Amino acid sequence: MEKFLNNDYDTLANVANNFIQKCIQTHQINIGELYQNMEAGFAKFNFRDNNHRGGVENILLVRLDYIGDFIMAIPAIREIRMNYPFARITLLVNKVVYPVAELCPYVNEVLISPAEHPIFLKGNLLEYISLYINFARENLWKRRFDLAICLNQGVQFFQHFVTWFSGARERVGYIFQPEVPPQNNVTYLLLTKVIQFDKRLTHAITQVLYILKAMGLQIYHTNLEFWYDATDLYYAKKLLEGFAPDRIKIAVGIGAKGGEYKYPIELYLQAFKKIINKGAAIVILGGPKESESASFIQKNLPDKFVKNLVDNSVNLRISAATMSQMNMYIGNDTGTMHLAVCAHIPIVAVHRVAKDLPSPNILDAFFPWQTNAIILQPEHQLGDCQKANNPIGCIAGKPHCITQIEPEEIVAAYETMANFIKKSGIKNLGCSQIMRSIDQISELNFESN
């Protein structure tokens, strides 16, 4: 029998709903008031009681962002399980990420956020809270989390809010603005342990793993991985059956979340024509938004050396299984690239961040992790992008700075990687032999302040 009554959760939901109604009536949002009222409810119903149960039995992991960003958190999710082998772990993700997380072996369950990625709400906090009230009532509060960890490492108010709203007794998260005094930063209300950004850590994976290190947890392995089942692999192999058996197979990622990430499809076509003439075959992967571009490439290349899987209902897990059959990745900086990283195949990434952009920048944060990679970059930031000097690189919203990269550079990078593959004597570089040669377990130098 459940120790805490459903009426308790109804009462908490009413507190939040009343807050929403007051904000609508007064046209003002006072997060401090919501915090005080909800904290009183959490305390009343023993959410904050350190004595009602011993140890850490129930853990919530919050990671609410895009596919590639989620993949960056996989090492941390695994290491949390290694540190809490007997805990019940719940993972909360966005709908778009669920197919990636669904088979995660390190958690007991995966929940889907009722709200889209916060960026799509355009700052509408009331809408975000409203969507989470019933979700928390039905899914979060009854689990009585001892510990909630927000695994996001960027701008995190929405994610920190969810971590707090879960009712977890202890709440841990990462903050990028250590210069803001605690008394002026709502994060210090929402979390019981705030981990401040360490500028020495540039890669997104080291930043997320630092959360664990700051908690006093052990980090045993740092490698990426991905999960698919036998059915996914069977379907992937059927799609590739008889396709270019004697050629180097290249997974191609032509999509991206923003136009400035995308290398022009016409220039890709020029590169792929020459690459196919040098003995390769390409497999195009991506979502529905890439359908037109994928068809364009397919129609302009020899059928027997190009496989378009964009229009074959290929989900993310099947894409990952397909990636395991590839020898190389060529494409944009996108989630598909990070799937290739998980498969530990060589990467040729065409990136929007120019060589003259000061480091650290976003390329430092999302560089292909622990795999052989060639990153092609434009020489300079152009126009307004140069004036902005933004660490995220090109901000044009369309192919812009990235267009400086010549198709011949892609061809040359392919030849470098193809030569490596041929000299290795191994047909599939995703195998464990190569893994042992590229530092699967890297030592992270976390120093005490």
Side-chain angles (χ1 to χ4, degrees):
M1 180 179 293
E2 188 178 14
K3 180 178 179 181
F4 302 97
L5 301 176
N6 285 334
N7 288 342
D8 299 348
Y9 310 133
D10 290 337
T11 300
L12 287 171
N14 286 336
V15 170
N17 279 317
N18 291 338
F19 171 78
I20 295 290
Q21 292 305 313
K22 182 177 180 180
C23 291
I24 293 173
Q25 293 169 3
T26 63
H27 303 287
Q28 293 182 338
I29 301 176
N30 186 340
I31 291 297
E33 180 180 341
L34 176 63
Y35 173 83
Q36 292 176 351
N37 293 340
M38 289 297 295
E39 278 298 313
F42 285 142
K44 178 180 179 180
F45 299 122
N46 297 326
F47 281 85
R48 303 297 185 240
D49 185 1
N50 289 319
N51 299 316
H52 78 273
R53 183 169 65 236
V56 175
E57 297 179 4
N58 291 316
I59 299 174
L60 174 66
L61 305 181
V62 177
R63 182 81 196 208
L64 301 173
D65 45 20
Y66 299 100
I67 295 166
D69 301 304
F70 173 79
I71 290 174
M72 298 292 100
I74 287 173
I77 295 170
R78 180 187 59 239
E79 298 310 297
I80 289 169
R81 169 56 74 194
M82 297 303 104
N83 281 268
Y84 296 100
F86 304 112
R88 178 174 178 79
I89 300 179
T90 299
L91 175 62
L92 179 63
V93 299
N94 285 322
K95 181 179 180 179
V96 68
V97 173
Y98 181 76
V100 184
E102 184 180 12
L103 295 183
C104 176
Y106 306 114
V107 302
N108 298 88
E109 61 179 346
V110 182
L111 300 178
I112 299 175
S113 170
E116 290 288 341
H117 189 292
I119 195 172
F120 298 133
L121 294 176
K122 299 180 181 179
N124 192 336
L125 179 59
L126 290 185
E127 180 182 351
Y128 201 70
I129 296 172
S130 297
L131 289 169
Y132 261 95
I133 293 173
N134 287 334
F135 181 78
R137 164 70 180 76
E138 297 297 326
N139 297 285
L140 300 180
W141 295 335
K142 64 178 61 176
R143 283 165 170 78
R144 293 281 166 163
F145 295 112
D146 303 293
L147 172 64
I149 306 173
C150 179
L151 294 174
N152 291 81
Q153 81 278 10
V155 178
Q156 304 309 347
F157 174 75
F158 287 105
Q159 293 89 336
H160 288 161
F161 174 84
V162 173
T163 304
W164 165 72
F165 204 63
S166 71
R169 188 178 70 220
E170 301 294 330
R171 303 170 302 281
V172 181
Y174 200 82
I175 189 169
F176 262 93
Q177 298 85 19
E179 68 277 4
V180 179
Q183 62 270 24
N184 297 331
N185 196 320
V186 69
T187 297
Y188 287 86
L189 290 177
L190 302 178
L191 304 179
T192 56
K193 183 175 180 60
V194 177
I195 299 165
Q196 293 190 352
F197 173 60
D198 188 330
K199 293 181 179 179
R200 295 169 297 179
L201 306 175
T202 57
H203 200 284
I205 291 180
T206 61
Q207 291 169 4
V208 178
L209 287 173
Y210 184 62
I211 297 174
L212 279 60
K213 198 72 175 179
M215 292 173 63
L217 304 182
Q218 294 295 313
I219 297 173
Y220 300 99
H221 303 279
T222 62
N223 59 294
L224 281 177
E225 58 183 89
F226 197 86
W227 319 287
Y228 49 84
D229 60 22
T231 301
D232 300 322
L233 184 59
Y234 171 80
Y235 189 50
K237 288 182 175 180
K238 289 294 289 184
L239 288 172
L240 296 171
E241 194 171 35
F243 175 64
D246 299 321
R247 290 193 162 224
I248 290 176
K249 294 183 180 61
I250 301 172
V252 168
I254 54 176
K257 64 183 177 182
E260 65 273 15
Y261 291 76
K262 295 181 180 180
Y263 190 64
I265 200 66
E266 296 81 8
L267 297 182
Y268 264 138
L269 178 62
Q270 293 179 36
F272 292 145
K273 283 181 178 179
K274 295 181 179 180
I275 287 170
I276 284 176
N277 287 337
K278 293 178 179 294
I282 69 171
V283 177
I284 310 171
L285 296 169
K289 293 180 180 179
E290 284 75 68
S291 179
E292 184 177 346
S293 294
S295 295
F296 173 78
I297 291 178
Q298 182 182 23
K299 290 175 182 177
N300 288 281
L301 292 175
D303 282 343
K304 62 181 178 178
F305 298 135
V306 57
K307 178 76 71 171
N308 179 8
L309 299 186
V310 171
D311 295 322
N312 281 272
S313 301
V314 178
N315 62 29
L316 285 167
R317 293 215 312 264
I318 295 172
S319 292
T322 302
M323 201 71 75
S324 74
Q325 307 301 300
M326 299 291 101
N327 303 112
M328 190 189 308
Y329 170 86
I330 296 178
N332 300 326
D333 171 29
T334 184
T336 305
M337 183 195 76
H338 291 293
L339 289 181
V341 174
C342 292
H344 304 288
I345 60 177
I347 306 292
V348 176
V350 186
H351 213 285
R352 74 193 192 284
V353 170
K355 295 177 183 177
D356 63 353
L357 186 67
S359 185
N361 56 56
I362 198 167
L363 177 55
D364 299 306
F366 295 102
F367 191 91
W369 180 253
Q370 296 181 358
T371 195
N372 298 288
I374 295 174
I375 308 298
L376 301 177
Q377 299 174 255
E379 289 294 329
H380 308 289
Q381 300 287 99
L382 300 177
D384 291 340
C385 300
Q386 185 179 42
K387 296 175 184 177
N389 198 30
N390 194 312
I392 67 171
C394 183
I395 56 174
K398 61 182 180 180
H400 182 233
C401 298
I402 200 171
T403 61
Q404 297 171 72
I405 299 170
E406 297 291 341
E408 285 295 341
E409 295 180 65
I410 299 176
V411 177
Y414 159 77
E415 289 182 309
T416 298
M417 286 302 191
N419 186 53
F420 168 70
I421 292 171
K422 291 171 182 176
K423 287 186 175 181
S424 73
I426 300 170
K427 292 183 179 180
N428 183 357
L429 288 185
C431 71
S432 59
Q433 291 169 280
I434 285 294
M435 280 296 298
R436 286 194 290 271
S437 72
I438 62 170
D439 186 19
Q440 180 179 5
I441 305 170
S442 292
E443 184 67 28
L444 299 180
N445 296 315
F446 297 117
E447 301 175 5
S448 300
N449 292 323

